[in-house]
């Protein structure tokens, strides 16, 4: 892997290249085809490559919490983040792996699945929902996860991030999907975008990075890495 912007170098320290800034930060991490599609046959994995998976691991290791929408959790069959030896220094003073926080209005989750049953006690899965969620499902979720209620009729993302920050979870890595990305951008809550551009054209009906209303977030290109035709970009607000 080599750095091609803002300078050129064959010596890339990924942990340094993707280090979080000081203070709270919401970072989107997505992979897309050259024509902007975010999944292939319904999954993002078909767009990925070895370099993307390495960066994915570094980003997870640096995060305090991993945020994802319920649709993404179901489609990608999420389990808890697993500790890695390479994370030892990245996570000094924190749990060995970051917890997963799932955004869901209806609480239509498999609460007995690996994401909940196999999470470590110090990185218990978090369910972020709203007051309109069925009470019985909220009570059931509380038996398997930590539950945050943010908002009345729908999840209030700003309030949810505030609740996470109060728990010391300020460095947020959002893994989508596109609807959650769009909601965060519309609320002015996106600080960074880490985008892998996959060297393929896919056409079809896959959503773009933001699947929602028109919005504008101006970003600055911080760096571009390259490997095997994949481009690994980091944009900051």
């Amino acid at each position: 892997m080599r750095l091609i912007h803002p300078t050129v170098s064959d010596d890339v320290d990924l942990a340094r290249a993707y280090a979080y800034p000081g203070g709270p930060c919401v970072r989107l991490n997505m992979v897309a085809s050259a024509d902007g599609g975010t999944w292939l046959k319904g999954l993002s994995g078909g767009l990925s490559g070895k370099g993307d998976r390495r960066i994915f691991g570094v980003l997870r290791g640096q995060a305090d919490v991993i945020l994802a929408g319920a649709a993404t959790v179901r489609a990608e069959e999420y389990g808890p983040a697993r500790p890695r030896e390479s994370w030892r220094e990245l996570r000094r003073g924190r749990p060995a792996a970051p917890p997963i926080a799932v955004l869901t209005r209806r609480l239509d989750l498999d609460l007995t699945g690996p994401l909940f049953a196999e999470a470590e006690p110090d990185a218990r899965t978090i369910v972020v929902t709203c007051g309109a969620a069925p009470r019985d499902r909220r009570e059931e979720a509380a038996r398997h996860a930590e539950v945050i209620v943010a908002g009345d009729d729908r999840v209030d993302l700003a309030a949810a991030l505030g609740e996470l920050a109060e728990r010391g979870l300020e460095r947020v890595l959002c893994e989508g999907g596109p609807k959650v990305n769009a909601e965060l951008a519309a609320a002015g809550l996106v600080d960074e975008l880490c985008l892998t551009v996959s060297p393929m054209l896919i056409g079809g009906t896959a959503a773009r990075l933001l699947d929602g209303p028109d919005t504008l977030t101006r970003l600055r290109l911080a760096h571009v890495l390259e490997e095997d035709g994949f481009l690994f970009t980091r944009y900051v607000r």
Side-chain angles (χ1 to χ4, degrees):
M1 187 175 294
R2 63 194 182 110
L3 176 70
I4 60 174
H5 175 83
T7 60
V8 176
S9 175
D10 291 326
D11 183 17
V12 178
D13 181 338
L14 291 180
R16 179 176 296 179
Y18 287 97
Y20 274 90
C25 179
V26 176
R27 170 182 282 173
L28 306 185
N29 180 37
M30 294 292 290
V31 59
S33 63
D35 57 327
T38 56
W39 62 68
L40 186 60
K41 297 181 180 179
L43 299 173
S44 62
L47 299 172
S48 188
K50 292 181 180 179
D52 181 55
R53 288 189 286 272
R54 290 205 306 277
I55 291 172
F56 176 84
V58 170
L59 295 183
R60 279 191 156 201
Q62 291 177 329
D64 291 332
V65 62
I66 298 164
L67 186 68
T72 295
V73 165
R74 289 191 297 269
E76 303 282 352
E77 299 182 343
Y78 266 51
R82 309 291 185 181
R84 304 185 184 190
E85 180 60 30
S86 61
W87 290 356
R88 185 180 296 274
E89 288 302 317
L90 291 177
R91 303 201 60 77
R92 184 176 295 276
R94 297 184 291 169
I100 307 290
V102 186
L103 296 168
T104 173
R105 184 179 184 277
R106 298 190 300 271
L107 287 169
D108 45 351
L109 301 166
D110 178 5
L111 296 170
T112 62
L115 178 59
F116 299 93
E118 298 177 11
E120 295 295 329
D122 62 352
R124 198 175 184 215
T125 297
I126 302 167
V127 171
V128 183
T129 190
C130 61
R135 180 178 294 275
D136 60 333
R137 291 294 292 168
R138 266 193 286 160
E139 293 174 351
E140 178 66 16
R143 287 192 279 272
H144 301 274
E146 182 175 354
V147 176
I148 292 175
V149 178
D152 298 322
D153 295 330
R154 58 185 303 166
V155 176
D156 181 325
L157 290 173
L161 293 174
E163 290 282 350
L164 291 172
E166 286 186 5
R167 291 160 171 79
L169 307 175
E170 294 187 328
R171 289 172 284 190
V172 180
L173 177 65
C174 181
E175 297 180 351
K179 290 188 182 298
V180 171
N181 295 343
E183 291 174 7
L184 286 167
L189 298 172
V190 175
D191 298 303
E192 296 194 7
L193 168 64
C194 296
L195 171 64
T196 295
V197 181
S198 179
M200 60 181 75
L201 299 171
I202 63 172
T205 59
R208 296 162 54 200
L209 299 180
L210 303 185
D211 184 9
D214 291 347
T215 186
L216 176 62
T217 304
R218 298 191 183 278
L219 303 172
R220 174 180 63 83
L221 181 61
H223 75 227
V224 182
L225 309 176
E226 186 275 336
E227 182 178 86
D228 297 332
F230 286 80
L231 299 178
F232 310 102
T233 67
R234 180 185 178 193
Y235 293 89
V236 299
R237 189 167 67 173

